[in-house]
Amino acid sequence: MHDYILTLSCPDRMGIVHTVSSWLLTLHGNIVHAQQFGDPDSQQFFLRVHFALPAATPIETLQQDFSGAAERFNMQFQIHDARRKARLLVLVSRQGHCLNDLLFRVQSGQMPAEIAGVVSNHPDFQALAQAHGLPFHHLPVSADTRAAQERQILDLVDRERVDLVVLARYMQILSSDLCGALEGRAINIHHSFLPSFKGARPYYQAHARGVKIIGATAHYVTQDLDEGPIIEQDIERVDHAMGPQDLTRIGSDIESVVLSRAVRWHVEHRILRNGRRTVVFR
């Protein structure tokens, strides 16, 4: 048996699940797991089906075979080989906790992905990347060189057949052109203080304001800064006895966990866009 994942969204109406299951029956397919959601607000229907076929079949053949049903229901759909590991390109600056966490999860087999390389505008984590046997691309950036540097990033994405770009505390604002080129395949992590605590040293700002909850948010990158569809969030309670270094430590842990969840759900094809929101099948 060979495993595949079908994801789709379309206007909600009767007969969608029946059509999909009937199509799988004609292929002698077996449904391993299925999840669905009908959104009463957007009137859209979302479906993720993990199915198995008796023999390996090219994705293009399956897509063509399903296209008739998809057209009848005005579906947006994708079919993936469930055994194929997604290829990640990780971008980082000078805070390495998220990078280190992703490297461990991938190397230990906890994350169904492979890392094609690490990109940074600083040389700090070259030794760490090389210790994991990964290419390290030091691409410094300034206002004058931003366009050329971003072209290098896109060249890497194309050359290395990258499925997902992960901004693991990459402290540069991407241009509208780069955001557009990576639409739906770039995930960012930031502290949940935004927009209340913008800029440098957010945990020090939070400590000065006496916050009681800190957290992190993972979202898709869009041309609207830090306003892309949210994938995952988490929080931790803090109190008056904790200093800014304590908050930084706790926040770093949350950021690492939230980013890894978002990346995992993306590479497992569990996230479907619903306008400015997401549907995440756990």
Side-chain angles (χ1 to χ4, degrees):
M1 301 292 282
H2 201 92
D3 288 13
Y4 300 88
I5 295 171
L6 165 68
T7 58
L8 64 85
S9 62
C10 63
D12 200 355
R13 53 180 276 200
M14 293 181 62
I16 301 171
V17 174
H18 174 75
T19 298
V20 172
S21 57
S22 297
W23 173 70
L24 290 174
L25 183 61
T26 65
L27 300 177
H28 304 285
N30 179 54
I31 295 177
V32 179
H33 190 254
Q35 293 172 287
Q36 65 188 61
F37 172 67
D39 184 0
D41 296 325
S42 65
Q43 295 296 305
Q44 290 287 302
F45 180 81
F46 303 87
L47 179 67
R48 179 185 186 272
V49 180
H50 179 184
F51 64 94
L53 298 179
T57 306
I59 295 294
E60 295 76 13
T61 300
L62 293 174
Q63 290 174 331
Q64 181 63 36
D65 196 45
F66 188 67
S67 60
E71 187 174 349
R72 290 199 306 274
F73 286 88
N74 194 24
M75 293 176 180
Q76 301 292 322
F77 78 95
Q78 292 183 316
I79 301 176
H80 306 274
D81 185 337
R83 300 183 185 182
R84 179 185 176 274
K85 290 185 176 182
R87 290 177 59 77
L88 313 179
L89 184 67
V90 183
L91 276 58
V92 65
S93 290
R94 280 182 159 158
Q95 299 180 50
H97 52 283
C98 289
L99 169 65
N100 196 52
D101 182 77
L102 286 171
L103 292 175
F104 170 76
R105 292 179 191 273
V106 169
Q107 188 174 63
S108 63
Q110 297 181 29
M111 179 79 70
E114 56 187 25
I115 297 178
V118 177
V119 172
S120 181
N121 53 323
H122 299 284
D124 302 45
F125 297 111
Q126 180 171 357
L128 176 63
Q130 292 176 343
H132 286 264
L134 297 174
F136 181 83
H137 307 275
H138 179 212
L139 303 179
V141 62
S142 67
D144 295 332
T145 64
R146 184 174 305 280
Q149 191 251 19
E150 290 190 344
R151 282 196 298 271
Q152 290 179 286
I153 293 174
L154 279 179
D155 288 343
L156 277 172
V157 170
D158 293 337
R159 186 169 70 247
E160 297 296 333
R161 298 172 289 108
V162 169
D163 300 293
L164 179 68
V165 174
V166 184
L167 277 62
R169 296 303 305 212
Y170 181 64
M171 307 304 290
Q172 294 291 318
I173 298 175
L174 305 187
S175 70
S176 295
D177 289 343
L178 185 56
C179 290
L182 296 176
E183 180 75 22
R185 52 182 183 144
I187 291 176
N188 187 33
I189 184 71
H190 68 65
H191 47 83
S192 284
F193 304 133
L194 290 175
S196 297
F197 300 111
K198 289 185 177 181
R201 297 161 66 92
Y203 293 108
Y204 284 77
Q205 297 180 53
H207 179 258
R209 292 284 297 275
V211 302
K212 298 298 183 282
I213 292 177
I214 63 173
T217 300
H219 65 90
Y220 282 114
V221 174
T222 66
Q223 296 179 7
D224 297 320
L225 179 63
D226 291 331
E227 294 187 15
I230 293 171
I231 302 169
E232 173 64 342
Q233 295 176 297
D234 207 348
I235 60 170
E236 184 80 24
R237 294 202 65 86
V238 295
D239 61 38
H240 61 278
M242 297 179 180
Q245 292 182 338
D246 297 311
L247 270 59
T248 300
R249 171 180 52 80
I250 295 170
S252 296
D253 290 343
I254 302 171
E255 290 167 10
S256 299
V257 171
V258 168
L259 181 61
S260 70
R261 288 176 187 159
V263 172
R264 169 180 288 278
W265 294 337
H266 179 94
V267 302
E268 291 180 347
H269 315 293
R270 297 184 180 277
I271 309 169
L272 285 79
R273 291 281 294 271
N274 184 15
R276 296 185 65 181
R277 298 179 290 158
T278 60
V279 173
V280 182
F281 290 122
R282 304 299 172 90

